[in-house]
Structures are given as structure tokens and as C-alpha cells.
Amino acid sequence: MTDKIYDAVVVGGGPAGSTAATELALEGHSVLLMERGGRIKPCGGAVPPRLLEDFDIPQSLLVAKARCARMIAPSGRAVDMPVGETGYVGMVDREDFDEWLRERAVECGAERLTATFEKIERDDEAHPLVAFRRERGGPIETVRARMIIGADGARSAVAKHALPNAERVKCVFAYHEIIASPKEAGDVFDPDRCDVFYQGKLSPDFYAWVFPHGDTASVGVGSANKGFSLRGAVSEMRSELDLTRCETIRREGAPIPLKPLKRWDNGADVIVAGDAAGIVAPASGEGIYYAMVGGRYSAQAASEALKTGEAKALKNARKRFMKDHGRVFWILGMMQYFWYSSDKRRERFVDMCDDKDVQQLTWQAYMHKKLVRKKPLAHLKIFLKDTAHLLGLRPANSEVRSQEKVA
């Protein structure tokens, strides 16, 4: 394939890579989408309604619509956060969702290749070579590209070859099991509810979850603690929730980055997107929407660089993303740092989720992917409550109930 020069080779066919390939193909560029195949990222599969609107995703790809989130504290106390009459959390199965995105990229004009990226090579020619193998142990082949987009996940091999210190990005390790949904819905499992467990025994620094996927469900956990057993935590959770009786369909694990990389491009002909750029929301771990936004921004920056010959245009991708979403990421990062550090704080965090103002603004921010500015007094009210909980000046509702019983 060395004779052909592509405008762009996109490495990775997840939401970020497929979106980038689609955007570039629609702009008239020749695009090769390189996906190694056979890998499904561990993911709860939650997507906001805005994703469907922004990226023209059909409702048919949703396998479920969650109308409520249940937050479970270390004590076992559960707080339900209803989304509201018109809202929902869309749920997708990554196996089908990612494949649909890849096929759309092909329909828009991208070529698709099942292969594993090996390295970036440079010779006397103006443009780099992308080295790959079609199968494990097979011969190394190369293709030349004017631009390379790395969308090959956390610990990206493309980023490692092109960006300084990219391999040092801190990650949460996620593991989940896709199971057949219980035939009878009850209080333990509800097909219309996402359950989030803030319990140190299940995750010392993140959270565990049970997310409905229609006929299946995702039962998973994340942690940056390398000595913590993710499989053990999922096994314990399934046992406590009586989900061991449900068939296990598949098991998946992968690292998830904790913060955006400080640099997304090499200043010449390589740019990264999605998990490879580190854009997964702290605290929540939400990545699909942000991956697709990042894929779009990186593709637009790459397209501008290709058309103008000005490599400095590549910097616009990160600048635009941080302008639009950097403040939310910073707030979520602070929230994870403070509230996930101990069971005592997790208990207070779940208690805070029982507040109607917190619920309303949380869902509005999730649905629209921006901070709501229309209610400054509500934000002030939440800030004061948050500070009181953090400093222990406001007793948790569970503590109040215990005091009332004693009285």
C-alpha cells in the first residue's frame, strides 16, 4: 500500500476515530480508518440526548433509556435521582454502536482496514509512513499519510511515538462484565435505572456500577489502585445483588485516562483524539460524548492544516475543546479528589445528591453538556451546602435520622 498517499490515516475505530474519519471524508479528504478489530472497550454505555442531536445518531441505536440514577452510599443508603419527565440517559452497547459508526465513516467515503498499528516511520519523503500488521505475526506493511490521527485509546501507541511524555498519563483501570438482564425487575435491578455504588469496598478511589442495556446489563468497577482486584469487586457486587445467576456474556477491561493531555499534536502531522487525548470526564468517567466531540475537533483542525499547509492549525483542537469543556472537567476533577477519598466523604456525597437543587442542575449539565448559568442563586446554594458537607458542618441525613431515633 506504500504507493498511495492518504490525506489522513486514522488509527482506532472507536467513537473518536470513526467520528474523525467521517468528518474528514465529508470534507473531501482521502481517509484510511485502521481498526484492529476484536476489541470492545469496557464501558457503561451512557450517552446524553445531546449526542444524538450533535452527531445525527438514530434512536434505534439506544438499547435502553434510563430515567433515574440511584446513588448507593457505603452504609447502603440509596438516593434516587430522577432525570425528569422529558429527559433520559441513553444506553448503547459498544459492540453495535462502534460498528455502526465505523460503517457510517465508510459510507461517507473513508476506506477501512482491519490491522494493528505498529509505529510511525520517517524517511527522505515529505510525509510519514504508518507501519501495521494485518494479523499477529504477519509481515509489517506501510502506508503513507499526510496526516495521522491517533484515536487508539488510553496509553495510545500513536501518542507514544509522537508526543512527549504521553505514556505517563495517569489512568483508572476499568473492568466490567456484560450479563443477561434479570428476567424479573425489582428493587435490586431496574431496567430503567442506572445504579452507581460509592463504596470503598467496591472501589477505593472511583465507583462501581450496574447499567441497564435492554436485554443485557453492564456490571463494572473502576480504580487507579493497581493492587485492587477489579474482578473480585465485580464478583462481590454480583453476589450481593443476586446477579450471579445471570449469564455472563463477555468480560472486558482497559485503562481510562484521568485528565486531558497537555498537548494533542506534534506540531507537524500527528494529532490525537478521544481517550488517546485523555478526554474522559473525571468523577463520572463519561467518555463517549467527549470522544466524539474530540474526534470532530481534531478532524476539523487536521482538515484546516491539510488545506492551508499550516501545521499550527492542529493546536486549535485542544484549544477549542478546553474552551468548551475544560471548566466542567476541572470541577469534576475537584469533586473526584474530595468526595471519593474516603467512605465518610462518600456518605456525605450521596447525601448531597438527595438535594433537589443538586439533582436539577446535575441533570441539566449532563443533558446539555454545559454549566447552567440561569440560576446563580441555586449555584450559590449548592456551593454553600457542598462546603458545609465537606467540612462536616452539616450532618448527613442518615446521621440526622439516627439522632432522631435516639431522641
Side-chain angles (χ1 to χ4, degrees):
M1 297 181 69
T2 312
D3 294 337
K4 183 171 182 178
I5 300 178
Y6 288 91
D7 289 333
V9 171
V10 180
V11 180
S18 296
T19 300
T22 297
E23 296 284 334
L24 285 163
L26 289 174
E27 284 296 313
H29 298 291
S30 58
V31 182
L32 178 65
L33 177 60
M34 186 180 296
E35 164 65 21
R36 69 183 185 183
R39 174 184 178 272
I40 307 170
K41 179 186 174 182
C43 176
V47 297
R50 182 173 173 179
L51 180 143
L52 278 66
E53 300 169 6
D54 289 356
F55 297 95
D56 195 23
I57 304 298
Q59 289 274 339
S60 59
L61 282 177
L62 299 182
V63 294
K65 288 184 178 180
R67 305 286 181 177
C68 177
R70 171 167 288 186
M71 324 297 272
I72 299 97
S75 66
R77 179 184 180 234
V79 170
D80 285 348
M81 298 178 63
V83 180
E85 295 182 2
T86 59
Y88 64 88
V89 178
M91 309 302 297
V92 299
D93 188 296
R94 289 292 299 273
E95 183 175 21
D96 298 324
F97 182 73
D98 289 15
E99 179 60 21
W100 187 91
L101 292 176
R102 289 189 285 268
E103 282 301 305
R104 180 168 70 172
V106 173
E107 291 173 3
C108 291
E111 294 183 39
R112 182 175 172 182
L113 173 67
T114 301
T116 300
F117 169 84
E118 290 289 332
K119 58 183 176 179
I120 298 172
E121 297 179 347
R122 298 186 183 274
D123 53 19
D124 294 335
E125 300 295 325
H127 306 300
L129 292 164
V130 179
F132 61 90
R133 298 179 191 268
R134 295 178 188 264
E135 57 185 26
R136 180 177 294 182
I140 290 182
E141 301 178 58
T142 59
V143 62
R144 201 173 293 277
R146 297 175 62 199
M147 190 70 62
I148 301 169
I149 297 183
D152 49 338
R155 307 286 171 84
S156 161
V158 173
K160 182 179 179 181
H161 277 84
L163 304 179
N165 301 318
E167 71 278 4
R168 297 181 183 179
V169 61
K170 293 183 178 180
C171 293
V172 162
F173 292 87
Y175 169 78
H176 80 161
E177 296 177 2
I178 296 294
I179 66 171
S181 295
K183 295 181 179 180
E184 296 182 2
D187 190 57
V188 172
F189 176 83
D190 188 329
D192 297 320
R193 189 186 70 216
C194 294
D195 291 355
V196 186
F197 295 80
Y198 295 100
Q199 300 178 339
K201 65 177 184 179
L202 296 179
S203 174
D205 52 357
F206 205 58
Y207 64 82
W209 68 83
V210 177
F211 286 174
H213 286 183
D215 293 336
T216 64
S218 166
V219 184
V221 63
S223 175
N225 188 333
K226 293 183 179 180
F228 186 75
S229 174
L230 302 179
R231 285 177 177 264
V234 170
S235 177
E236 179 179 354
M237 183 164 51
R238 287 185 65 176
S239 178
E240 290 183 355
L241 298 176
D242 193 26
L243 296 177
T244 53
R245 56 191 170 90
C246 301
E247 177 190 0
T248 301
I249 298 173
R250 63 179 192 260
R251 298 178 173 89
E252 298 150 0
I256 298 175
L258 286 174
K259 62 189 303 183
L261 295 183
K262 293 183 178 180
R263 185 171 179 177
W264 290 10
D265 69 275
N266 70 342
D269 47 25
V270 179
I271 187 170
V272 293
D275 282 13
I279 46 177
V280 175
S284 69
E286 182 187 359
I288 299 177
Y289 175 78
Y290 294 113
M292 295 179 73
V293 169
R296 171 172 285 175
Y297 289 178
S298 291
Q300 290 172 345
S303 180
E304 183 180 353
L306 287 168
K307 291 176 179 178
T308 64
E310 297 288 340
K312 63 182 181 181
L314 295 177
K315 296 186 181 298
N316 293 335
R318 189 182 189 280
K319 287 181 180 178
R320 185 178 177 190
F321 185 89
M322 297 308 293
K323 179 181 178 182
D324 292 346
H325 303 288
R327 187 180 179 195
V328 170
F329 271 47
W330 183 83
I331 291 173
L332 290 174
M334 289 297 99
M335 189 180 84
Q336 179 176 336
Y337 175 78
F338 283 114
W339 293 116
Y340 294 6
S341 60
S342 70
D343 272 354
K344 182 178 180 180
R345 289 187 177 180
R346 293 186 189 98
E347 193 76 37
R348 292 186 176 278
F349 172 71
V350 172
D351 182 67
M352 190 171 63
C353 292
D354 202 15
D355 186 278
K356 300 304 179 185
D357 290 324
V358 170
Q359 294 181 11
Q360 183 181 24
L361 293 182
T362 296
W363 286 125
Q364 286 179 347
Y366 174 80
M367 307 281 279
H368 303 294
K369 285 293 167 268
K370 58 183 178 182
L371 297 176
V372 181
R373 303 177 184 275
K374 294 182 179 179
K375 297 183 178 181
L377 292 179
H379 281 289
L380 177 60
K381 182 179 178 183
I382 289 174
F383 173 76
L384 294 174
K385 289 179 180 178
D386 185 77
T387 302
H389 277 291
L390 181 61
L391 298 177
L393 302 177
R394 176 187 172 95
N397 287 342
S398 56
E399 295 173 3
V400 171
R401 285 194 294 271
S402 297
Q403 293 170 5
E404 289 174 347
K405 289 179 180 180
V406 172

